[in-house]
Amino acid sequence: MTDTATPTTADAADPGAPGSPGAPRRSYARLAADESREDYSLRYAPHSFRRWSPSMVAGTALGGIAYLADFAIGASIVFTYGFTSGFASILAAAVIIFVTGIPIARACAKYGLDMDLVTRGAGFGYFGSTLTSLIYASFTFIFFALEGSIMAQAMHQAVGLPVEIGYLVTTLIVIPIVFRGMGALARVQAWTQPVWIIGMVLPFVILAFEAPEAWGDFASFGGTEGAGPGFSWIAFGLGTGVALSLIAQIGEQADYLRFMPARTEANKRRWNLAVLAAGPGWVIIGAAKQLGGALLAFVALEAVGKTHALEPIAPQIEALKPWLGSFALPAAALFVIVSQVKINVTNAYSGSLSWSNFFSRITHRHPGRVWYIFLNLAIALTLMEMNMFAALNKLLGFYSNVGIAWIVAVAADLVINKRIGLSPPYIEFKRAYLYAVNPAGFGAMVIASTVSILAFFGLFGEYAEAFSTFIAAGLSLTLCPLIAWITRGKYYLARPNPVNGPDVEVPDITATHVCAVCETAYELPDIADCPVHAGPVCSLCCSLDAECGDACRKKPSAGPVPLPLPVTRTQG
């Protein structure tokens, strides 16, 4: 991004002052200005850009959960804690993820916002959500590394490619797709879906015919670590913690859901179903994959050993052998590679969005989403080369404590605080109207994650260690509304948004308004009134202004732009 708008006074008599006819304007680098690649990475997704049908958005979003980490996670949980405790863990985590995902998915789809922008307005504040951007970015590169490791294992099995080189190949292969944005991702997910569905279903069909007794034997499996076939509360808590590491997946679903078209009377049934399926509904498929992956690993255990049974490629080969014989290896490798490409384009894409959000607020610069793809992939590649796959349970169990504290705090704000009037009824994401930090959500997350991490490392005893993620969820759910009530919701809005204020007749939100800084037209939800620039500014130009001193928040009487703002009607 090239930013030439350096003056900070709003003196209209000065021809170089912001907002005056002779003022320099901000211009964006070519990549940052190209929304066909940028996909409104730091912005509200305008209605004019939401060209896809609800079913198309849902199909693309669900295509992104094709990953086989579920297989590895489910197998690891059941091998460690036994079938009974592992099964209960996977179901409990799925219920928690589903319930917390419903309000978040609906908010992202309704307001056209990604997870970071929703977090800002749902109790965290403008800078408070920078920490959650890091948490989310961590999720994307941790799981990119995990999925990439699985793909490298498949290439090693298929063609003997050393896994260290395989890590590099799995990293490079996604770049051209992610570089091109949502349109390319949608095409890849659609084209690869038939191969993925066949590859996912076929092993279980073969097992049903060739080894029907495996299902019963699996139900009495006591694990490989001596856990036994019975139920254990300690094992249940620890297993749930590992499965809950996937709770931040709702953020990746939100990166697609923000392109959902507006909900209307004509499409509301399809819209509701699509949002439910593509949002929290992913975890239903995810839980089934965890249990299915554990079953395949159990069946292959004797033939390949524990280490290889935890690698999805080996159980897949063993399951296909009875019908495909010598073709089992290439068929399994193709399925694994397709699955991992489908998810890792999503991981890389979502990571680029998250890093963009983080650095735009820290540096007041935005070179474009695509450059952060390389940062995210470099970190993921480093993790792969460090063999993070070997420390799967411990790493994911630790991450769960932070991830669940964040997601539950956001869900608590959307479900509780907004319904009882402790926070505004809409999602305000623009810097111009937000405090830097809102203690309601941010404070709840920090306290909950800190206490749960201490519990995770055994400070409060064995049971607290096992149930550390439940501690994080409970504290976050309680503290978010409690802090909002104590502060009387003071830190949600630094100043009223004229469009959303009381007794304001809201104009057509699809109408466009020209930003006084970059001179580009944006829809009303992406615009703020700015006394420094003496006109409307878009949310991104507002974020990138390093010299305004937040005058609009410190001096709300400085003269907000009267509404309605100048309007240019959108075409069509």
Side-chain angles (χ1 to χ4, degrees):
M1 183 214 76
T2 303
D3 182 0
T4 57
T6 53
T8 58
T9 62
D11 184 359
D14 180 357
S20 67
R25 302 301 186 190
R26 175 180 286 115
S27 61
Y28 293 101
R30 183 171 60 87
L31 287 177
D34 183 0
E35 289 298 351
S36 67
R37 288 180 176 148
E38 193 63 12
D39 284 344
Y40 296 88
S41 59
L42 302 180
R43 300 180 182 276
Y44 154 87
H47 288 278
S48 60
F49 194 73
R50 303 185 213 174
R51 303 182 302 269
W52 298 275
S53 67
S55 58
M56 180 64 176
V57 175
T60 304
L62 288 174
I65 64 164
Y67 52 85
L68 297 183
D70 272 335
F71 278 32
I73 290 171
S76 180
I77 291 172
V78 173
F79 275 29
T80 304
Y81 306 115
F83 173 82
T84 304
S85 298
F87 179 76
S89 298
I90 291 169
L91 290 188
V95 171
I96 294 171
I97 292 172
F98 188 87
V99 170
T100 56
I102 293 173
I104 294 172
R106 291 186 66 85
C108 292
K110 177 180 178 180
Y111 294 104
L113 305 176
D114 66 13
M115 192 67 200
D116 177 80
L117 300 186
V118 167
T119 299
R120 288 186 197 178
F124 282 73
Y126 181 71
F127 271 107
S129 65
T130 1
L131 179 58
T132 65
S133 291
L134 283 180
I135 295 170
Y136 184 34
S138 301
F139 175 85
T140 64
F141 63 66
I142 286 172
F143 277 88
F144 187 102
L146 177 55
E147 308 295 351
S149 298
I150 293 170
M151 192 193 302
Q153 293 160 4
M155 291 189 290
H156 177 70
Q157 286 266 27
V159 297
L161 185 71
V163 290
E164 292 79 11
I165 298 176
Y167 295 151
L168 181 62
V169 173
T170 64
T171 302
L172 297 177
I173 198 172
V174 305
I175 292 176
I177 303 169
V178 181
F179 196 85
R180 296 185 64 84
M182 173 68 174
L185 266 66
R187 288 191 293 273
V188 166
Q189 300 296 4
W191 293 342
T192 56
Q193 203 73 338
V195 174
W196 180 78
I197 291 173
I198 293 170
M200 179 62 65
V201 173
L202 185 58
F204 299 102
V205 173
I206 295 174
L207 276 181
F209 282 95
E210 301 294 331
E213 72 284 353
W215 303 84
D217 295 341
F218 180 52
S220 59
F221 180 51
T224 58
E225 310 298 322
F231 179 80
S232 163
W233 283 107
I234 296 291
F236 168 73
L238 291 170
T240 305
V242 175
L244 279 173
S245 63
L246 291 163
I247 195 166
Q249 176 65 32
I250 190 63
E252 294 198 346
Q253 303 308 112
D255 289 337
Y256 294 108
L257 286 170
R258 65 198 177 107
F259 298 118
M260 193 69 71
R263 182 176 180 269
T264 65
E265 281 298 316
N267 74 359
K268 66 178 181 181
R269 182 173 296 179
R270 287 181 289 113
W271 191 94
N272 289 333
L273 182 60
V275 170
L276 188 66
W282 77 266
V283 78
I284 298 173
I285 301 172
K289 285 163 58 189
Q290 288 176 47
L291 293 171
L295 171 63
L296 294 181
F298 165 74
V299 173
L301 181 59
E302 186 175 343
V304 303
K306 177 188 171 184
T307 300
H308 290 301
L310 293 174
E311 301 171 355
I313 179 66
Q316 192 81 7
I317 293 170
E318 291 300 313
L320 295 176
K321 275 182 179 179
W323 285 11
L324 300 187
S326 60
F327 291 102
L329 173 57
L334 175 64
F335 168 67
V336 172
I337 291 170
V338 166
S339 297
Q340 302 317 89
V341 168
K342 283 169 74 67
I343 180 55
N344 267 354
V345 294
T346 300
N347 282 328
Y349 177 75
S350 295
S352 70
L353 297 180
S354 188
W355 285 119
S356 295
N357 275 298
F358 175 77
F359 281 109
S360 69
R361 276 167 287 173
I362 299 298
T363 67
H364 296 285
R365 294 290 183 270
H366 180 51
R369 172 191 68 82
V370 296
W371 295 110
Y372 294 111
I373 297 170
F374 301 102
L375 171 63
N376 211 50
L377 297 187
I379 298 172
L381 179 60
T382 302
L383 288 177
M384 282 188 273
E385 298 291 355
M386 292 170 61
N387 193 24
M388 64 151 283
F389 195 83
L392 183 63
N393 272 10
K394 204 68 177 174
L395 178 64
L396 298 184
F398 172 81
Y399 180 84
S400 291
N401 292 281
V402 183
I404 196 169
W406 163 39
I407 296 298
V408 171
V410 173
D413 182 84
L414 295 173
V415 174
I416 301 173
N417 295 5
K418 291 194 180 305
R419 292 197 177 186
I420 64 177
L422 290 175
S423 68
Y426 65 99
I427 305 290
E428 182 55 76
F429 66 94
K430 296 181 285 295
R431 173 190 179 187
Y433 304 111
L434 295 172
Y435 281 99
V437 176
N438 184 342
F442 182 80
M445 183 196 74
V446 170
I447 295 170
S449 58
T450 300
V451 173
S452 67
I453 287 172
L454 293 176
F456 176 77
F457 285 110
L459 188 64
F460 307 126
E462 185 181 22
Y463 277 89
E465 178 181 352
F467 285 88
S468 63
T469 50
F470 288 86
I471 293 173
L475 283 175
S476 209
L477 181 65
T478 304
L479 289 174
C480 182
L482 179 61
I483 295 172
W485 176 73
I486 292 172
T487 58
R488 299 188 179 184
K490 173 183 176 182
Y491 296 98
Y492 279 92
L493 293 177
R495 65 178 178 121
N497 184 336
V499 173
N500 295 101
D503 303 321
V504 173
E505 184 177 345
V506 179
D508 179 10
I509 64 170
T510 64
T512 58
H513 307 258
V514 176
C515 173
V517 179
C518 66
E519 297 184 326
T520 304
Y522 295 100
E523 290 181 9
L524 181 59
D526 205 27
I527 288 290
D529 59 288
C530 179
V532 172
H533 291 285
V537 296
C538 69
S539 62
L540 183 53
C541 286
C542 182
S543 290
L544 299 180
D545 198 324
E547 299 179 353
C548 69
D550 292 323
C552 62
R553 289 186 284 167
K554 294 176 181 177
K555 300 175 183 178
S557 61
V561 178
L563 290 179
L565 301 173
V567 171
T568 302
R569 295 292 175 186
T570 54
Q571 297 299 314

